[in-house]
Amino acid sequence: MSNNVLFAGSPWSAFSGPNLGYVMEQYDLFLQNPAEVEPELAALFQQFGSPFVEGSEAVVTEGAANVQSGNIKKIFAAVQLADAIRSYGHLAADIYPLKDRKLDSSRIELSTYDLTDADLAAMPASLFFNNAPASVINGKQAVDYLRSIYTGKIAYEYDHVADGERQWIQEQIESGAIKRNLTTEEKKVLLDRLTRVEDFEKFIHKTFVGQKRFSIEGLDTLVVLLDEIVKAADEKKMNYMQIGMAHRGRLNVLTHVVNKPYDMMFADFAHVPNDYFFPKDGSLEISKGWTGDVKYHMGATHTKKSGLKVKLAYNPSHLEVVSPVITGSTRAAQEDTTKPGRPVHDPSKALAVLVHGDAAFAGEGIVQEVFNYANTTGFTTGGSIHIISNNMIGFTTEHYDSRSTKYSSDVAKGYGIPVIHVNADDTEAVVQVARLAFQYREIFGKDILIDLIGYRRFGHNETDDPTVTNPLTYQIVTKHPTVRAIYGQQLVQEGVVTEDQVKKLDDDVYAEMQKSYDHVKEVGAEKGHFEIEMPEAVKNEYPEVETGLAKEDIQQINDDLLAWPESFNPQNKLAKILKKRVEALETDKIDWGHAETLAFGAILRDGNPIRITGQDAERGTFSQRHLVLHDKDNGQEYTPLHHITDAKASFAVHNSPLTETGIVGFEYGYNLENDKALTIWEGQFGDFANMAQVMFDNFISSARSKWGQKSGLVLLLPNAMEGQGPEHSSARIERYLQLSAENNWIVANVSNAGNYFHLLRRQAKMLGTEAMRPLVITSPKSLLRHPLAAASLEQLANGKFEEVIEQPGLGTNAKKVERIILASGKVTIDLADRVQNGEGYDNLHIVRVEQLYPFPTQKLADIIAKYPNAKEIVWVQEEPRNQGPWKYALEYLLELADGKKVKYVGRPEMSSTSEGDMDSHKIAQAKVIDEALAK
C-alpha cells in the first residue's frame, strides 16, 4: 500500500463498536509482532499510528454506524481501491485523442477487491479523502468521484514524489482546485487562438505547396498551454520566460506565442527579407547570421507591455540539445552578478520551459543530463516546466520500437518529477494543467512534466506520406476532427457561440492571413532581396587591448588571495603551497594556477563577473587551482576571490556533475544571456569534451554565422602526451581547427603562464562587444608547475598576449640558422628543456605558435624573413601525424616556406591518440625530440 490516501485526520474515525475494538486489538498485536498483522492494517498503523482516542472512545463520524456490522476487510479493500485509483487511474484515463491505445482498468475495478456498490455506499466519504465536494457523502460517491478525476482527460503520476509534494498535488486534484471555470469571453479567446493556430498551418499548406514546416497540427493546444504559462509568469511579474523546443510546431509558437507577425513569417516562405516587416514598436528581437538557417531553427524574443520577455531559443535539428542551453540562459537571467562575492540567485526572475518530442525525450541522453543537474547548487533554475509535445510517433517509428517503457515520460519519474498526462484535444483541460504545473514550480522549486498527448496530422514533414509506414494510424487521423472543430462544437452546444460565428471567425482569420501575404508580395516586388554580410568586427582579428596591470595592483590582489580569516584553518599542506605565492612574485616563479587566479582578480576589478565550472573546477583536476578553501577542522568553505579589493562583479565556481554535453550547453547558454561574464568550462581531461561534440559543432562554432548569436565562452581542455594512455592525452585539437573559419573563435595552445594571464584578460575585455568570440584553450597538465612555463611579475605587469614566442637563446646568429622549428604547446617546453641556453644549436631556431587559429601567418613570416639561409621549416608535434595541428597548419606552412622544405616531425599516423603505457610513451616522445633537434 502506498501513502497516497489522505484521510480526515486519520482513518480511525471510520471505525466504531466491534470494528473499532478489533482494530485496537490488532494494534496491540502490531506493537508486539507486526508480522502477525494483516499487511494492509499494518500499513495503516505505520502511517497513522494508534487507533486509540485519548480520554474517550473513538469519535464516530457520520455514516460510521453503518460500518459496524460490515466486514472489516471490506474497509481495507476500499482503502486499497482508492489508493489504486490514485496510482493506476492513468492506465484507464481518456488521454488518447485517437482512442487507439488499449486502456487498462483491471487495477481499479470493484471486483478486483471483492467489493460491491452496496459495500461502498455503507462507508463514509471521509474514509477516502479530505475536502470532498459537498455532494460526495458515502464511499460509493467517493469512488465515483475519484474515478472521474483520475481517469478523465487528465491523468496523473505522482506516487514517486516526496511526501509533502505528493500531498499538495493530491489536494489540488481532489479538492477541485485545479479546475477553472472559464468565462464566456475566455472561451471565445481560446476559440480564436485555436482558429489562428489551425489556419496558419492551412494557409502555409495551401500557399507554399511542398515546403517543409513541421506543423503543429494534432497538438494545436501546445500554443494554448504555452499561452497559459506566459500569463502565469506575467502575473508573477517575472522578467523572462525562455522556451526551448525542436522544430515541430516551432513556426506556430514563433507566430502566436512569441508574436512574430504573419507577414514576417510569410516573408520567410516567400524568400523576401523579413526585416521589412519588423514591428515598429521594437517589441520583437531577432538576430541573424550571414549564412542563415532554415526557418524552423530560428528563434526570437518578444517583450510584452508588462516587460516580460518571452524568448524562443535558436536550435539546430539535434532536438533535445537546446535544453541545457535554455537552462543556462535562464540561470543567467536569474542572477545578479553586479556585486562582489557570490552572484545573487533569484529563481522568481525567470522561467525555463522545455518542449520535447516524445521519441526524443525517451531516446536522447541529454534529457537525463538536464534532469540530473536540475537541483544541484550551481545549475538549478528553481524548476523547469517540461512539456512533451507527444504525437505518439517518432519520424516513422511506432512507440514499441522507440522505447522500452509504457510512456515516453517515464524517465522523469526516476528524478522524483510529477507527470501530468493530458489529452491534447481537450482545450480546457490543457489550461488547467498549465496552471497546476506553474504553481507546483512556484511552491516547490522543482521540475514538473506535462505529457501533452495528441497525434501528427501529416507525416514527419509535409512532403512525407505517412500511410506508407503507419497505415492504420492514418486511417484514424484522416477521419478525426481538429481540436478547433471539437472546441467550436463544444462552445456551440454550450450556447457560447453559434455555428455561423465559428465559421465567420475561421473565414476572417484566413482572410487576415491572405492580406498579410499579399502585402509581402507587394513589398518583395518593390524592394527585392538583400544579403546579410559578416560584421566588420568579426572579419577582423581581435584588436590590441591593454591587458597589463600595475605591479602594486597585482601585489594587492595577491595579498587579498592569501588573507583568509584568522579563525579559518586550511589544510597544512595546502596552506604551505598557497603561502609560496607570497614569494612567487619576487622570485618570478608564478605558476599556472597562480597566474590564472591573479587574472581572475584583475578581471573582477574591471567589472566582469566570472563563472567557472567543471568536474573538479574548485580544486582543479591536477590540484593546481584551489579557488575554494576548506577548513580542516569543520569543513567550512572560504573563497578568496570573493574578497578582492575594489572588485566590481561576482565570482562563482562550481564543481559540475559528470555531464559534458549538458554542462557545456548550460555554460554556453549562460554566456549568451550574460555576455559580460567570463564564462569558463573546464574538461577534467581535454578529450572528455568529445562527449559534447554536438555543442561545439552546432552552437559554439557556428551560431554566430547561422543565427547571429555572440558568445565569448572559454573552454579549458587539458592536453599533452604524458604517458597517461590514449584517453588522457589529446584534447583532439584537430577537431576544433577543422571547425575554424570566418574568425568564429580563437584556438590557443599556450605554453607560458604569463601568456595565459594575458589571454584571459584579453578575452574578458572583448566580452559584450561585436568582436567577442569563443576561446578554445588546450590547457596544460605537467606544465602547470614546470619552471620553464612560469611567469614573472614583469611579464604580468607590462606584457601582452603573444601569438608567437621565439625561444630565448636561439637564432642569435641569423646567418647560421638553417632550420626553423615551429611547434605548439607542451612539446615546445620539451624542446626548450633540451636546448637550454641554446649552446650548440646555432643551426636552428624554435618558434612557439601560441595561437593556432587565427593562424599568425604574418608574425611568422616576419620571423622567418630574418633568417635568409634557412633551408627548411619543420613542424614538430607530439600528436600522431593524422591528428593534432599538422594537417591544419600545412597549408599555411607551404605559403610561408617560399621554396623552403616543409617537414613533419612527430608520431606516425595512429588510430589511437597515444601509447598506452609510460615506458612506450617515453621512447616515442624522446624520438620526436631527437629527430627535431638532430644536426
Side-chain angles (χ1 to χ4, degrees):
M1 178 181 293
S2 77
N3 292 335
N4 273 357
V5 183
L6 284 182
F7 296 93
S10 81
W12 315 130
S13 60
F15 296 89
S16 63
N19 285 325
L20 180 58
Y22 173 76
V23 171
M24 289 177 174
E25 290 175 0
Q26 290 296 302
Y27 183 70
D28 287 336
L29 181 59
F30 172 78
L31 294 177
Q32 298 172 35
N33 189 358
E36 293 189 20
V37 178
E38 293 177 78
E40 295 86 356
L41 189 53
L44 292 177
F45 290 147
Q46 289 174 343
Q47 182 176 359
F48 296 103
S50 170
F52 293 90
V53 177
E54 187 176 351
S56 66
E57 289 190 304
V59 176
V60 180
T61 59
E62 182 179 355
N66 295 326
V67 181
Q68 294 178 16
S69 59
N71 189 335
I72 195 164
K73 290 188 176 182
K74 296 285 186 180
I75 298 174
F76 302 149
V79 171
Q80 285 184 299
L81 171 61
D83 203 7
I85 294 172
R86 294 179 174 97
S87 298
Y88 304 115
H90 61 90
L91 298 174
D94 184 13
I95 54 177
Y96 303 105
L98 300 183
K99 302 188 184 302
D100 58 344
R101 294 290 186 271
K102 185 177 180 180
L103 303 183
D104 177 10
S105 62
S106 61
R107 292 179 176 86
I108 61 173
E109 298 293 345
L110 271 65
S111 58
T112 302
Y113 301 91
D114 194 25
L115 290 168
T116 65
D117 287 345
D119 292 333
L120 293 174
M123 300 178 191
S126 60
L127 179 64
F128 297 89
F129 44 51
N130 282 332
N131 299 327
S135 59
V136 177
I137 298 172
N138 61 43
K140 170 65 169 62
Q141 293 170 337
V143 168
D144 289 345
Y145 178 70
L146 288 175
R147 280 177 176 276
S148 71
I149 58 178
Y150 283 103
T151 66
K153 297 296 177 74
I154 306 173
Y156 309 90
E157 292 186 89
Y158 60 96
D159 267 6
H160 54 283
V161 305
D163 287 347
E165 299 167 33
R166 183 168 62 241
Q167 291 166 5
W168 180 87
I169 294 170
Q170 186 169 312
E171 184 71 18
Q172 296 299 305
I173 298 167
E174 297 179 11
S175 68
I178 185 177
K179 292 186 177 179
R180 288 190 63 207
N181 295 317
L182 300 179
T183 66
T184 297
E185 188 56 37
E186 285 174 325
K187 290 173 182 281
K188 289 181 179 179
V189 168
L190 285 175
L191 180 60
D192 178 85
R193 203 60 161 167
L194 292 172
T195 302
R196 290 180 179 279
V197 169
E198 181 178 306
D199 281 1
F200 175 79
E201 301 289 355
K202 288 196 304 186
F203 185 86
I204 293 174
H205 196 71
K206 292 180 180 179
T207 308
F208 305 101
V209 178
Q211 287 206 39
K212 294 179 184 178
R213 70 182 189 277
F214 298 98
S215 84
I216 203 171
E217 291 159 286
L219 285 164
D220 307 51
T221 47
L222 174 63
V223 169
V224 171
L225 180 55
L226 292 172
D227 277 347
E228 206 61 30
I229 298 172
V230 170
K231 289 177 190 174
D234 219 355
E235 290 167 6
K236 288 292 183 180
K237 302 190 183 305
M238 284 187 166
N239 298 332
Y240 296 89
M241 175 174 149
Q242 311 212 34
I243 307 169
M245 67 180 297
H247 44 275
R248 182 160 308 284
R250 186 181 190 85
L251 300 183
N252 221 306
V253 170
L254 268 173
T255 303
H256 294 112
V257 179
V258 193
N259 279 30
K260 185 174 179 179
Y262 291 134
D263 45 13
M264 286 191 77
M265 189 58 74
F266 297 152
D268 291 337
F269 280 93
H271 307 293
V272 175
N274 64 27
D275 303 66
Y276 298 136
F277 310 100
F278 259 97
K280 292 183 172 57
D281 61 4
S283 60
L284 190 69
E285 300 172 40
I286 296 177
S287 62
K288 294 184 179 182
W290 51 93
T291 65
D293 200 354
V294 292
K295 49 193 149 295
Y296 40 81
H297 289 175
M298 304 304 282
T301 301
H302 170 64
T303 303
K304 296 172 65 67
K305 291 181 180 179
S306 63
L308 174 67
K309 288 182 179 293
V310 181
K311 171 184 177 181
L312 177 63
Y314 296 77
N315 189 43
S317 282
H318 288 268
L319 304 174
E320 301 295 331
V321 294
V322 75
S323 296
V325 176
I326 278 294
T327 53
S329 180
T330 301
R331 174 66 179 247
Q334 294 172 344
E335 287 192 341
D336 179 358
T337 59
T338 61
K339 300 177 181 65
R342 293 183 180 85
V344 179
H345 181 213
D346 182 359
S348 70
K349 287 183 176 180
L351 169 67
V353 178
L354 305 176
V355 183
H356 312 270
D358 50 311
F361 187 87
E364 297 289 347
I366 189 64
V367 173
Q368 178 176 324
E369 293 186 20
V370 173
F371 282 138
N372 186 57
Y373 69 61
N375 290 328
T376 62
T377 303
F379 304 91
T380 182
T381 60
S384 299
I385 296 178
H386 297 262
I387 301 168
I388 297 179
S389 186
N390 192 343
N391 55 38
M392 303 296 288
I393 199 167
F395 197 11
T396 65
T397 308
E398 294 285 3
H399 67 95
Y400 44 76
D401 288 322
S402 65
R403 64 178 184 268
S404 300
T405 59
K406 178 172 181 59
Y407 298 116
S408 58
S409 57
D410 283 345
V411 67
K413 291 161 67 176
Y415 292 89
I417 295 169
V419 178
I420 308 172
H421 308 279
V422 59
N423 189 318
D425 270 3
D426 191 325
T427 304
E428 295 184 15
V430 170
V431 171
Q432 292 173 22
V433 300
R435 289 287 176 164
L436 179 64
F438 189 90
Q439 290 170 16
Y440 174 88
R441 187 263 182 189
E442 285 291 292
I443 293 171
F444 297 104
K446 287 182 56 182
D447 291 17
I448 188 168
L449 173 61
I450 299 169
D451 183 16
L452 181 68
I453 301 176
Y455 57 93
R456 192 176 69 194
R457 187 156 287 277
F458 296 102
H460 176 67
N461 61 62
E462 289 66 38
T463 63
D464 182 35
D465 181 2
T467 62
V468 173
T469 51
N470 309 96
L472 299 181
T473 297
Y474 280 88
Q475 287 178 19
I476 302 171
V477 169
T478 54
K479 300 174 183 177
H480 189 74
T482 66
V483 66
R484 182 196 66 83
I486 292 170
Y487 194 59
Q489 188 59 40
Q490 176 185 327
L491 297 192
V492 169
Q493 293 173 354
E494 293 177 4
V496 174
V497 292
T498 65
E499 289 187 359
D500 288 343
Q501 287 173 323
V502 173
K503 184 179 185 309
K504 184 176 186 304
L505 176 61
D506 189 26
D507 294 341
D508 290 348
V509 168
Y510 200 88
E512 180 185 337
M513 294 179 184
Q514 184 64 55
K515 183 178 179 181
S516 292
Y517 179 52
D518 292 342
H519 177 55
V520 168
K521 289 191 291 184
E522 292 172 7
V523 172
E526 177 186 345
K527 297 189 176 182
H529 192 69
F530 65 83
E531 296 292 334
I532 299 175
E533 294 188 1
M534 184 191 301
E536 287 298 320
V538 180
K539 289 180 182 178
N540 303 319
E541 294 188 25
Y542 269 175
E544 291 282 347
V545 292
E546 178 60 49
T547 57
L549 192 65
K551 291 181 181 179
E552 54 269 27
D553 290 333
I554 296 174
Q555 184 65 60
Q556 179 64 62
I557 293 171
N558 202 51
D559 292 344
D560 293 338
L561 292 171
L562 299 171
W564 49 77
E566 289 185 10
S567 60
F568 187 84
N569 297 303
Q571 186 218 25
N572 295 338
K573 182 180 177 181
L574 176 57
K576 291 178 182 178
I577 292 172
L578 294 177
K579 288 299 184 184
K580 287 182 180 180
R581 293 182 176 182
V582 175
E583 305 167 1
L585 270 61
E586 300 173 0
T587 59
D588 291 337
K589 295 180 180 178
I590 303 170
D591 67 20
W592 206 274
H594 191 185
E596 178 187 72
T597 312
L598 290 171
F600 289 163
I603 290 165
L604 294 174
R605 285 165 60 108
D606 288 343
N608 290 98
I610 298 173
R611 175 183 167 91
I612 176 170
T613 66
Q615 284 144 29
D616 299 281
E618 292 182 5
R619 188 197 73 172
T621 297
F622 311 102
S623 199
Q624 84 279 10
R625 183 172 287 130
H626 302 295
L627 294 176
V628 178
L629 310 181
H630 300 266
D631 190 295
K632 65 179 182 179
D633 298 322
N634 56 29
Q636 180 183 351
E637 294 184 353
Y638 179 78
T639 305
L641 281 165
H642 289 163
H643 306 278
I644 299 296
T645 302
D646 296 329
K648 303 179 184 67
S650 66
F651 175 80
V653 57
H654 298 287
N655 292 331
S656 71
L658 190 61
T659 300
E660 289 81 16
T661 309
I663 302 303
V664 170
F666 189 100
E667 301 309 331
Y668 170 75
Y670 189 98
N671 182 245
L672 288 182
E673 187 64 44
N674 188 344
D675 63 0
K676 294 292 288 183
L678 183 68
T679 309
I680 302 171
W681 178 77
E682 181 177 58
Q684 192 175 52
F685 287 89
D687 62 322
F688 285 20
N690 292 347
M691 298 298 293
Q693 196 65 42
V694 65
M695 293 300 174
F696 305 125
D697 292 348
N698 292 284
F699 288 100
I700 300 169
S701 70
S702 59
R704 186 77 186 268
S705 64
K706 292 189 296 187
W707 310 321
Q709 289 193 311
K710 300 188 295 293
S711 167
L713 180 65
V714 179
L715 305 171
L716 301 181
L717 309 175
N719 171 82
M721 303 292 167
E722 292 173 344
Q724 296 188 56
E727 273 68 64
H728 288 161
S729 295
S730 173
R732 292 289 193 173
I733 196 170
E734 64 274 7
R735 295 180 179 173
Y736 303 94
L737 294 173
Q738 183 186 38
L739 293 170
S740 298
E742 300 179 307
N743 288 328
N744 60 331
W745 55 18
I746 293 165
V747 181
N749 194 7
V750 185
S751 64
N752 176 270
N755 221 24
Y756 177 53
F757 172 92
H758 291 289
L759 180 59
L760 290 176
R761 295 268 286 141
R762 184 182 74 168
Q763 181 72 1
K765 286 182 176 290
M766 302 312 299
L767 293 172
T769 71
E770 280 297 305
M772 70 183 287
R773 62 205 68 174
L775 170 61
V776 181
I777 304 176
T778 51
S779 56
K781 295 181 286 183
S782 63
L783 297 193
L784 292 169
R785 298 173 183 85
H786 200 296
L788 292 180
S792 67
L793 178 58
E794 177 66 24
Q795 183 184 10
L796 301 191
N798 298 310
K800 64 176 184 177
F801 174 66
E802 302 287 355
E803 296 176 4
V804 298
I805 298 176
E806 296 183 67
Q807 179 64 36
L810 293 182
T812 55
N813 191 335
K815 292 183 179 180
K816 288 188 177 182
V817 173
E818 297 182 346
R819 180 188 306 160
I820 298 174
I821 294 175
L822 304 181
S824 187
K826 183 255 181 185
V827 73
T828 67
I829 300 299
D830 291 347
L831 292 167
D833 200 27
R834 179 75 69 86
V835 302
Q836 295 294 324
N837 61 5
E839 186 176 343
Y841 292 97
D842 289 348
N843 67 316
L844 60 83
H845 190 35
I846 299 175
V847 183
R848 304 180 191 180
V849 182
E850 300 280 285
Q851 178 176 293
L852 287 165
Y853 184 81
F855 198 74
T857 308
Q858 187 56 53
K859 289 182 173 63
L860 290 173
D862 293 342
I863 293 171
I864 293 169
K866 296 189 297 184
Y867 303 99
N869 296 325
K871 297 176 182 177
E872 63 179 2
I873 296 175
V874 180
W875 182 267
V876 179
Q877 68 179 36
E878 50 189 348
E879 297 92 347
R881 185 186 186 104
N882 58 316
Q883 300 166 34
W886 161 244
K887 291 191 175 181
Y888 157 80
L890 180 58
E891 183 177 345
Y892 297 104
L893 299 179
L894 293 172
E895 180 184 338
L896 289 166
D898 191 25
K900 301 176 184 67
K901 181 180 179 181
V902 175
K903 181 181 177 182
Y904 166 82
V905 173
R907 284 168 171 77
E909 292 189 350
M910 297 168 61
S911 55
S912 177
T913 55
S914 76
E915 305 79 21
D917 65 273
M918 181 61 75
D919 290 343
S920 300
H921 159 75
K922 288 179 178 178
I923 293 169
Q925 194 75 359
K927 184 178 179 181
V928 171
I929 303 303
D930 290 344
E931 184 180 350
L933 300 177
K935 297 181 181 179

